[in-house]
């Protein structure tokens, strides 16, 4: 059980952590939601005031440095305070904007898990979407293109269920298994850094299902109507993600899994898919139960490397927690620049200004040409990005 949150109610114009609330639109139940947010000091000036606040100000937009948004999603029966104690310092060290959503009655609706939120079919995916929209509308230093999620237990289920909102996710002791994976990722390659213990009795390593011959999971996860008839193990779920979402190269029957990391003292072995369109890694722990040994720095590095190297086409230096900008490696990206992650908001949105007032028909024609050009450029850059990403990661 988690403790009560103790977030400071400070102005969103400052760095540090504070609580926020929002009223969801197109909502019929539990529409007023709350979350905690943390802004690292790198985003503030010498007076601890946030820089680049207004995304609608052209000067702010041109100067802003983009940093990742990271969601840290708590488990069933917990509060966000637990995730905060783990992740606030990490967010400061890695220069993340940290978001800790608060589940209604300490639960999130991830379809197959858990509690009040699942039973009442609350729209927690919509809640997350609203948070991202609110942040990107208020601040120039974040982008909905550079968002990530780590989740524990119910939070792990939630991170995978809302995967289409994120570039990469790190589910811990919880994962989706009764969904068409391309649907929950919007058929877009999505990084995966999955963690699970073999001796987890809450969310069984062999999976959660109604099959009476299989071990039972906690908290009604194995019960009808949400649980599937057949179990999907952690390994099977990972293999499906590697195949269906990130289109990794399929190993032959005689190939052994490629071990990308192992540590006997931590009892963990990780393997990473090859030829993937996004980093795809599974870490399996021999012991640890439902609370797996924390790999917060490794997870943070996983997100940071993706933002810096894959999205920013630069080089992440893990020892110094810095992104070394190498603009020559950019592949036709107009939104790359300097800053903590070698990203800037220049080119992410643009305003047309002119001293000539064209007619309505001319304006429509100009806009159509611009949109067509951007569409072609986006498709060309997307294909180049996929080709570039395929050969980029041999491990995490």
């Amino acid at each position: 059980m988690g403790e009560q949150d103790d977030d400071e109610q400070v102005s969103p114009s400052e760095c540090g952590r504070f609580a926020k609330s929002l009223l969801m639109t197109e909502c019929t139940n539990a529409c007023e939601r709350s979350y905690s947010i943390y802004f690292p000091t790198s985003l503030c000036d010498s007076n601890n005031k946030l820089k680049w606040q207004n995304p609608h100000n052209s000067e702010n937009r041109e100067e802003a440095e983009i940093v990742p948004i990271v969601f840290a999603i708590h488990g069933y029966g917990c509060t966000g305070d637990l995730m905060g104690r783990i992740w606030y310092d990490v967010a400061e060290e890695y220069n993340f904007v940290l978001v800790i959503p608060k589940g209604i009655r300490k639960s999130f609706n991830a379809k197959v898990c858990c509690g009040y939120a699942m039973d009442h079919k609350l729209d927690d995916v919509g809640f997350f979407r609203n948070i991202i929209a609110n942040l990107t509308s208020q601040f120039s230093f974040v982008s909905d293109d550079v968002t990530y999620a780590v989740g524990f237990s119910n939070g792990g289920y939630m991170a995978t269920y809302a995967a289409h909102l994120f570039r990469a996710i790190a589910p811990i002791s919880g994962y989706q298994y009764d969904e068409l994976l391309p649907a929950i990722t919007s058929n877009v390659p999505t990084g995966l850094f999955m963690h699970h213990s073999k001796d987890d009795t809450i969310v069984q390593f062999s999976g959660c299902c109604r099959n009476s011959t299989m071990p039972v999971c906690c908290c009604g996860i194995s019960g009808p109507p949400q649980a599937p008839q057949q179990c999907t193990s952690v390994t099977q779920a990972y293999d499906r993600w590697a195949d269906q979402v990130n289109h990794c190269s399929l190993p032959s029957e005689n190939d052994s899994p490629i071990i990308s990391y192992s540590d006997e003292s931590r009892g963990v072995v990780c393997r990473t898919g090859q030829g993937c369109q996004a980093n795809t890694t599974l870490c399996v722990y021999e012991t640890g139960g439902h609370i797996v040994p924390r790999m917060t720095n490794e997870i943070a590095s996983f997100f940071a490397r993706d933002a810096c190297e894959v999205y920013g086409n630069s080089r992440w230096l893990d020892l110094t927690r810095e992104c070394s900008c190498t603009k020559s490696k950019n592949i036709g990206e107009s939104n790359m620049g300097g800053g903590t992650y070698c990203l800037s908001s220049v080119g992410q949105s643009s305003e047309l200004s002119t001293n000539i007032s064209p007619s309505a028909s001319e304006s429509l024609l100009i806009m159509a040409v611009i949109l067509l050009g951007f569409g072609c450029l986006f498709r060309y850059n997307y294909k180049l990005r996929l080709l570039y990403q395929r050969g980029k990661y041999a491990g995490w």
Side-chain angles (χ1 to χ4, degrees), residues 45 47 178 185 245-246 258 262 264 267 305 328 339 345 395:
D45 58 24
N47 297 317
D178 191 32
T185 59
V245 178
N246 291 338
I258 295 179
S262 64
E264 290 186 6
R305 285 183 58 195
S328 61
S345 61

Side-chain angles (χ1 to χ4, degrees), residues 25 36 58 60 74 86 93 97 110 146 170 172 199 203 208 218 225 263 278-279 330 365:
T25 59
S36 300
S58 59
N60 278 345
H74 65 74
I86 298 170
E93 183 178 358
V97 171
V146 195
I172 303 170
D199 63 349
V203 179
C208 301
C218 173
D263 187 335
N279 194 346
N330 293 342
L365 179 60

